[in-house]
Amino acid sequence: MIALLKYQAIAEDLRQKIEDGVYRANDQLPLSSELEAQYGASKMTVKRALDYLVQQGLIVRRRGSGTFVKSLDASSLDKLIQHSRTQLLGMSSAYRGHDIKSRVLAFEIVPAPDPVAARLRLEPGSFVYHIVRVRSLDGQPRSFERSYMTLELIPGLREEHARHSIFSYIRDVLKLHIQSVHRLVKVRCATPQEEGELRLPNGSPVAVVHETYYLDNGQPFNYSITTHEPDHFALETVLVDGPSAKR
Amino acid sequence: MIALLKYQAIAEDLRQKIEDGVYRANDQLPLSSELEAQYGASKMTVKRALDYLVQQGLIVRRRGSGTFVKSLDASSLDKLIQHSRTQLLGMSSAYRGHDIKSRVLAFEIVPAPDPVAARLRLEPGSFVYHIVRVRSLDGQPRSFERSYMTLELIPGLREEHARHSIFSYIRDVLKLHIQSVHRLVKVRCATPQEEGELRLPNGSPVAVVHETYYLDNGQPFNYSITTHEPDHFALETVLVDGPSAKR
DNA sequence: GAGTGGTCTAGACCACTAT
DNA sequence: TAGTGGTCTAGACCACTCT
């Protein structure tokens, strides 16, 4: 286990207390000054911890009045807590404990098609891995993924990795860090191929997620288009208003 | 115009420079120490400004090596910059300059159905506004919205407001602040009513967005289910990995 | 080892809410 | 006016990268 930063430890502790019902919906949290004393932390550090929970959608802060647990129903609370733990993880980590299988339909090296080259910032015709997989959860096909990865940035990738976790190869073997993912969600009808692979009825709707993955040096290394069957697809986000200064 | 906080002003200035091409993809930004001198700001404040840009997906920071503009293609950059400006705004603000119309199909006060009462944290049977609207952009129907708002929290709402902007009534007249939105996206086939209102072909796929809006006191005041026609629906998000301390 | 960003502190001062 | 959270600073010290 990796040691937590102080503000993360404070946030984690408070999150646990919210999860355990020590602090309930609408409760006021201890004052900042009390939390500072309690955790032996400075004002900035406590603030940072609380900001983290605001970002995750669990609490609300109001200048002049206090910090409160959001009025959430049990199911939303559960989902938020789950969600905050699985933000940037691949499917393999997010669904730990389930039986995840990846069937590899294609694993080849090809010149990048133009739109792919643009997104991966490659010279037209640069070589990329082209990987097509069907991913199943507990035996049921859930998503159809077509992904393009820059050959140069991810050397030595094998079909073997595609069958398990490409991300663990990148992280554990290549020692590279994924910094961020840019995601675009759209909707359309399944193609005949998708209907076949995902065992969908004719004309079924699907969610199409376009993702570009970036390393911590700012380079995109993976562009993928993933089609999700509609019954289990659900994407959650929390949008929080920022500070707005001097009205 | 509202005065910007110092870190926001710095972030804004740097964002503008990225947009203007002063800093281009893969460029290294000035060192933190140089930015501190340039803006007359402390280390923490500069860091906060840069964190803001990281959050928006524009830059990448690497301890020991520097801060760099992400390697983005022009179209992604445009979208990100647009996106960062329209995070929490309603449709009316996000599409300023376009012709937005809301046709109100229903505006009534009813006892909250159970699932709605749960999400709005109301006693079963409490009264809520029930508003159904079709929203059109430049004359084309884009979304079908069914929304439930807590009567008690939003007094005095009239059909008139629903035809224009409910949010501006809440903000400007009631002087309430929207703190956050919890959003869930799903996919399914359009219902016959949706097909009719959105002028969709039979069996068309639609994106269904469930949103719960919270005030800055932590109370949910609006639960809405919005169906979007598939051709123009596109939802973007940026996920960024957090700090990870002491490996 | 020299240079980068990251965390944390202690405290001054500001903005907002409640009463 | 008392009490809340928010911003910003100056500086100590830490963690990582590069060469």
Side-chain angles (χ1 to χ4, degrees):
Chain A
M1 188 59 185
I2 280 171
L4 290 176
L5 297 173
K6 192 162 185 175
Y7 82 92
Q8 290 172 332
I10 296 171
E12 190 60 28
D13 188 63
L14 290 171
R15 197 168 61 67
Q16 192 66 52
K17 284 180 175 160
I18 292 171
E19 189 173 353
D20 292 347
V22 177
Y23 302 123
R24 315 247 294 273
N26 288 314
D27 280 0
Q28 177 163 15
L29 289 190
L31 303 182
S32 289
S33 52
E34 290 170 21
L35 293 174
E36 289 161 32
Q38 185 176 330
Y39 293 106
S42 73
K43 191 170 179 172
M44 285 294 292
T45 302
V46 165
K47 182 186 182 302
R48 217 176 152 189
L50 293 173
D51 281 348
Y52 200 58
L53 297 177
V54 169
Q55 208 58 42
Q56 296 179 3
L58 291 173
I59 65 173
V60 156
R61 317 193 74 191
R62 253 161 102 217
R63 200 194 291 223
S65 114
T67 300
F68 301 83
V69 179
K70 249 185 188 165
S71 190
L72 298 158
D73 58 318
S75 125
S76 307
L77 184 65
D78 274 4
K79 280 183 193 158
L80 281 180
I81 291 189
Q82 274 315 101
H83 185 244
S84 67
R85 288 202 243 255
T86 59
Q87 264 291 83
L88 204 79
L89 306 170
M91 193 179 178
S92 325
S93 331
Y95 291 91
R96 193 182 303 281
H98 287 264
D99 172 36
I100 297 156
K101 285 243 164 51
S102 296
R103 192 156 57 84
V104 180
L105 304 189
F107 185 99
E108 50 183 1
I109 294 179
V110 300
D114 281 0
V116 171
R119 285 176 186 269
L120 293 178
R121 308 268 310 169
L122 297 171
E123 300 294 320
S126 302
F127 283 98
V128 293
Y129 299 96
H130 173 227
I131 304 165
V132 182
R133 302 190 288 181
V134 172
R135 315 205 70 187
S136 299
L137 194 68
D138 299 327
Q140 296 187 324
R142 287 287 174 84
S143 64
F144 177 87
E145 176 193 88
R146 182 180 295 278
S147 97
Y148 299 90
M149 303 184 81
T150 305
L151 186 60
E152 218 173 36
L153 294 174
I154 316 290
L157 192 66
R158 298 283 172 264
E159 181 163 343
E160 171 66 12
H161 306 124
R163 270 197 294 274
H164 300 95
S165 173
I166 291 179
F167 289 157
S168 73
Y169 174 72
I170 290 172
R171 190 182 44 230
D172 303 334
V173 181
L174 297 181
K175 308 283 183 202
L176 297 174
H177 295 288
I178 298 173
Q179 189 265 346
S180 58
V181 183
H182 293 214
R183 183 185 276 170
L184 175 67
V185 181
K186 301 190 148 208
V187 183
R188 59 166 167 73
C189 281
T191 63
Q193 183 182 23
E194 289 160 355
E195 285 171 4
E197 296 295 350
L198 298 176
R199 297 182 211 144
L200 297 172
N202 207 280
S204 179
V206 288
V208 183
V209 181
H210 300 243
E211 290 175 321
T212 309
Y213 287 75
Y214 292 84
L215 295 175
D216 66 357
N217 62 4
Q219 301 298 318
F221 71 93
N222 180 19
Y223 175 61
S224 66
I225 303 110
T226 306
T227 306
H228 296 261
E229 57 84 27
D231 292 344
H232 297 85
F233 176 80
L235 192 143
E236 290 187 66
T237 50
V238 177
L239 304 180
V240 178
D241 195 18
S244 46
K246 299 176 196 168
R247 301 173 195 285
Chain B
M1 188 57 187
I2 282 170
L4 290 176
L5 297 174
K6 191 162 187 174
Y7 82 91
Q8 290 172 332
I10 296 172
E12 191 58 30
D13 188 63
L14 291 170
R15 196 167 62 67
Q16 192 66 51
K17 284 180 174 159
I18 291 171
E19 189 173 354
D20 292 348
V22 176
Y23 302 123
R24 316 247 294 275
N26 287 315
D27 280 0
Q28 178 163 16
L29 288 190
L31 303 182
S32 289
S33 52
E34 290 170 23
L35 293 174
E36 289 162 31
Q38 184 176 331
Y39 293 106
S42 74
K43 190 170 180 174
M44 283 296 292
T45 302
V46 166
K47 181 186 184 300
R48 219 177 148 186
L50 293 173
D51 282 347
Y52 200 58
L53 297 176
V54 169
Q55 207 57 41
Q56 295 178 5
L58 291 173
I59 65 172
V60 155
R61 318 192 74 195
R62 252 163 100 218
R63 200 194 296 224
S65 110
T67 300
F68 300 84
V69 179
K70 248 183 186 168
S71 190
L72 298 158
D73 58 317
S75 125
S76 307
L77 185 65
D78 275 3
K79 280 183 195 158
L80 281 181
I81 292 191
Q82 275 314 102
H83 186 244
S84 67
R85 288 203 242 260
T86 59
Q87 266 289 86
L88 205 78
L89 306 170
M91 195 180 177
S92 325
S93 330
Y95 291 90
R96 194 182 303 281
H98 287 266
D99 173 34
I100 297 157
K101 286 242 163 52
S102 296
R103 190 155 59 81
V104 180
L105 304 190
F107 186 98
E108 51 183 0
I109 295 179
V110 302
D114 281 359
V116 172
R119 284 176 188 268
L120 294 178
R121 307 270 309 171
L122 298 170
E123 299 295 319
S126 302
F127 284 99
V128 293
Y129 300 97
H130 173 227
I131 303 165
V132 181
R133 302 191 287 181
V134 173
R135 316 205 70 186
S136 298
L137 193 69
D138 300 326
Q140 297 186 325
R142 288 287 175 85
S143 63
F144 176 86
E145 176 192 271
R146 182 181 294 278
S147 99
Y148 299 89
M149 302 184 79
T150 306
L151 185 61
E152 217 172 37
L153 294 174
I154 316 291
L157 192 66
R158 298 282 172 266
E159 181 162 346
E160 172 65 12
H161 304 125
R163 272 197 293 273
H164 302 96
S165 173
I166 292 179
F167 289 157
S168 72
Y169 173 73
I170 291 172
R171 192 182 43 230
D172 304 334
V173 180
L174 296 181
K175 308 284 185 202
L176 296 175
H177 297 288
I178 298 173
Q179 189 264 347
S180 58
V181 183
H182 294 213
R183 185 185 273 167
L184 175 67
V185 182
K186 301 191 146 206
V187 183
R188 58 165 167 75
C189 280
T191 63
Q193 182 182 24
E194 288 161 354
E195 286 171 3
E197 295 296 349
L198 298 175
R199 297 184 212 142
L200 297 172
N202 206 280
S204 179
V206 288
V208 183
V209 181
H210 300 245
E211 290 174 322
T212 308
Y213 287 74
Y214 291 83
L215 296 176
D216 66 356
N217 62 6
Q219 300 299 317
F221 71 94
N222 180 19
Y223 175 62
S224 66
I225 304 109
T226 307
T227 306
H228 296 261
E229 57 84 29
D231 292 345
H232 297 86
F233 175 81
L235 193 144
E236 291 188 65
T237 49
V238 177
L239 303 180
V240 178
D241 196 17
S244 46
K246 299 174 193 168
R247 298 171 198 288

